[in-house]
C-alpha cells in the first residue's frame, strides 16, 4: 500500500463520521438511481467495516464531505476525462472529498443485465476511489482494490490484506474487524 | 522507419487483449516489441501517458518525439517495477496489455506534487 505525500487523512474531534452525496445520475440513466446509490452504499460499508469511520448518505450535496459525480471531458478540475475506457474515474486526497466518474463509460451494476463488452463495474471503481478519498494511493499488489487498473467486465470489490493494512495505518482498526473475515486465501498470506 | 506492425511476420499479438474500436488507448498496440533505439509513431503519445501517470520526472519535458530513448526506457522500467510486471525494458505484450487496460486517473507516483490533487 502507499499514501499520498504527507499522508493526508480525515481528522475530526471525536468519532469520525463522513457524509457523502451522489450528484445527478442523468448521465447514466440506463441504471436506476437507487442501484447507483446501493452500489456506493456497499462500497462505503466495506471500508467502514475495517476502520473506525462511519459514512452517512446525505442529499445535501454541497455540504457533504464526499461528493460523488458523473462528468465527461474537461469538467474543471484540470484532469479531463477521455471517453470510452482509458481513464475510468479519479478522486482526490483528504480532505478534498471529490470523487469523479467518467460518464462516457458504460457503467454496470450487474453484468447479467449489462451485456456491453466495455462495461465497467461501478461498485469496483467506487470502492477503489473511496480508498483515494480516505488517503490511500495506488498499490503494487495486483489483487488489491487499490491497484490502478481494472479490465472491462471485471469485478474487484473485496478489500485485501494490503488495502486493509494501508487504511488501518491511517485510521486504526474497527474494533469489530478481524483479519479472519477476509478471504481465506488472503489471510493465508498476511504478514502479521 | 515505419514499424512493420501489419506485415505477416510482424509481432505476435496473441497476448494482447481483444480490443474495442472506441478504446482510448487501443492505438498503443502498434508499439508491440519496440525497444531502445527505435523511432515509432505513437511513442510520443506513450511518453505523455507515462508523464500523466507519474513516470517522467517533469511533465513539462519534451514529450512529442517518437524516439525510444534512454529516458523513455527508464520510465518504462519504472512502470514495469511499480505495476509488478516482469522488468524487460521493452514494450512486450504483457506490458502493453497492462498499459492499455482501463485505469484510475490518479498518478501512480506518490512523490510528485500533482498526485491526486494534494495541492487543491
Amino acid at each position: 500500500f502507499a499514501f499520498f505525500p504527507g499522508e493526508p487523512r480525515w481528522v475530526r474531534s471525536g468519532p469520525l463520521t463522513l457524509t457523502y452525496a451522489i450528484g445527478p445520475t442523468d448521465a447514466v440513466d440506463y441504471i436506476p438511481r437507487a442501484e447507483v446509490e446501493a452500489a456506493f452504499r456497499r462500497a462505503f460499508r466495506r471500508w467502514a467495516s475495517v476502520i473506525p469511520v462511519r459514512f452517512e448518505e446525505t442529499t445535501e450535496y454541497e455540504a457533504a464531505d464526499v461528493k460523488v459525480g458523473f462528468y465527461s471531458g474537461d469538467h474543471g478540475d484540470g484532469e479531463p476525462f477521455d471517453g470510452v475506457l482509458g481513464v475510468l474515474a479519479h478522486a482526490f486526497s483528504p480532505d478534498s472529498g471529490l470523487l469523479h466518474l467518467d460518464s462516457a463509460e458504460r457503467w454496470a451494476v450487474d453484468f447479467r443485465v449489462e451485456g456491453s463488452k466495455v462495461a465497467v463495474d461501478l461498485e469496483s471503481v467506487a470502492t477503489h476511489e473511496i480508498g483515494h478519498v480516505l488517503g490511500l494511493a495506488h498499490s503494487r499488489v495486483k489483487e488489491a482494490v487499490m491497484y490502478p487498473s481494472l479490465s472491462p467486465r471485471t469485478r474487484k470489490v473485496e478489500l485485501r490484506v494490503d488495502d486493509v493494512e494501508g487504511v488501518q495505518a491511517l485510521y486504526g482498526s474497527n474494533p469489530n474487524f478481524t483479519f479472519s473475515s477476509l478471504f481465506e486465501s488472503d489471510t493465508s498470506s498476511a504478514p502479521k | 522507419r515505419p514499424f512493420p506492425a501489419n506485415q505477416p511476420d510482424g509481432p505476435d499479438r496473441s497476448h494482447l487483449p481483444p480490443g474495442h474500436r472506441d478504446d482510448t488507448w487501443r492505438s498503443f498496440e502498434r508499439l508491440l516489441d519496440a525497444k531502445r533505439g527505435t523511432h515509432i509513431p505513437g511513442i510520443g503519445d506513450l511518453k505523455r501517458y507515462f508523464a500523466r501517470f507519474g513516470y517522467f520526472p517533469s511533465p513539462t519535458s519534451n514529450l512529442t518525439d517518437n524516439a525510444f530513448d534512454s529516458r523513455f526506457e527508464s520510465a518504462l522500467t519504472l512502470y514495469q517495477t511499480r505495476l509488478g510486471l516482469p522488468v524487460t525494458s521493452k514494450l512486450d505484450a504483457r506490458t502493453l496489455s497492462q498499459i492499455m487496460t482501463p485505469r484510475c486517473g490518479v498518478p501512480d507516483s506518490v512523490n510528485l506534487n500533482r498526485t491526486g490533487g494534494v495541492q487543491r
Side-chain angles (χ1 to χ4, degrees), chain B residues 29-51:
Chain B
E29 72 175 0
R30 80 174 77 161
L31 305 176
L32 181 60
D33 286 343
K35 55 188 174 186
R36 187 174 173 178
T38 52
H39 282 71
I40 306 168
I43 288 280
D45 293 334
L46 191 48
K47 286 181 179 178
R48 285 187 285 279
Y49 172 105
F50 279 151

Side-chain angles (χ1 to χ4, degrees), chain A residues 7-20 44 47-57 64-66 94-95 130-131 133-135 167-175:
Chain A
E7 301 183 11
R9 71 199 75 187
W10 295 84
V11 178
R12 297 278 163 83
S13 57
L16 182 54
T17 298
L18 299 176
T19 58
Y20 73 92
F44 277 110
W47 288 105
S49 71
V50 303
I51 53 176
V53 177
R54 289 185 63 226
F55 296 101
E56 287 181 357
E57 196 169 352
D65 296 309
V66 182
D95 49 2
I130 292 168
V133 167
L134 289 169
V167 78
Q168 288 186 342
L170 291 174
Y171 297 96
S173 176
N174 185 318

Side-chain angles (χ1 to χ4, degrees), chain A residues 3-5 77 79-80 82 84 86-89 91-93 118 128-129 132 137-138 140 142 147-151, chain B residues 20 22-25 52-53 81-84 98 101-108 110-112 114-118 120:
Chain A
F3 306 123
F4 293 106
D77 62 5
E79 303 286 348
D82 54 5
V84 179
V87 169
L88 305 172
F92 299 99
S93 57
V118 292
H128 175 99
E129 299 303 333
H132 287 318
H138 285 148
R140 301 178 186 199
K142 193 152 195 168
Y147 193 75
S149 60
L150 181 75
S151 297
Chain B
H20 184 273
D22 295 327
D23 190 337
T24 299
W25 294 324
R52 174 174 186 175
F53 296 117
T81 303
R82 285 226 178 107
L83 275 289
Q98 181 64 53
T101 302
R103 58 163 289 155
C104 171
V106 175
D108 299 333
V110 294
N111 298 317
L112 298 177
R114 71 186 291 268
T115 298
V118 167
R120 298 186 183 98

Side-chain angles (χ1 to χ4, degrees), chain B residues 43-105:
Chain B
I43 288 280
D45 293 334
L46 191 48
K47 286 181 179 178
R48 285 187 285 279
Y49 172 105
F50 279 151
R52 174 174 186 175
F53 296 117
Y55 293 94
F56 270 114
S58 170
T60 57
S61 302
N62 179 16
L63 303 171
T64 56
D65 69 88
N66 290 314
F68 194 132
D69 52 21
S70 58
R71 287 186 65 228
F72 179 80
E73 186 181 60
S74 297
L76 174 60
T77 302
L78 182 60
Y79 179 85
Q80 291 173 328
T81 303
R82 285 226 178 107
L83 275 289
L85 298 162
V87 179
T88 62
S89 302
K90 286 179 19 179
L91 287 169
D92 54 79
R94 195 164 164 187
T95 301
L96 265 185
S97 176
Q98 181 64 53
I99 287 170
M100 293 190 296
T101 302
R103 58 163 289 155
C104 171

Side-chain angles (χ1 to χ4, degrees), chain A residues 19-24 33 37 56-64 66:
Chain A
T19 58
Y20 73 92
I22 301 170
R33 181 177 172 91
E37 292 172 347
E56 287 181 357
E57 196 169 352
T58 176
T59 55
E60 296 178 30
Y61 190 82
E62 291 305 321
V66 182

Side-chain angles (χ1 to χ4, degrees), chain B residues 1-19:
Chain B
R1 64 181 174 82
F3 191 61
N6 296 319
Q7 295 178 8
D9 295 330
D12 176 11
R13 294 165 186 278
S14 59
H15 293 98
L16 294 177

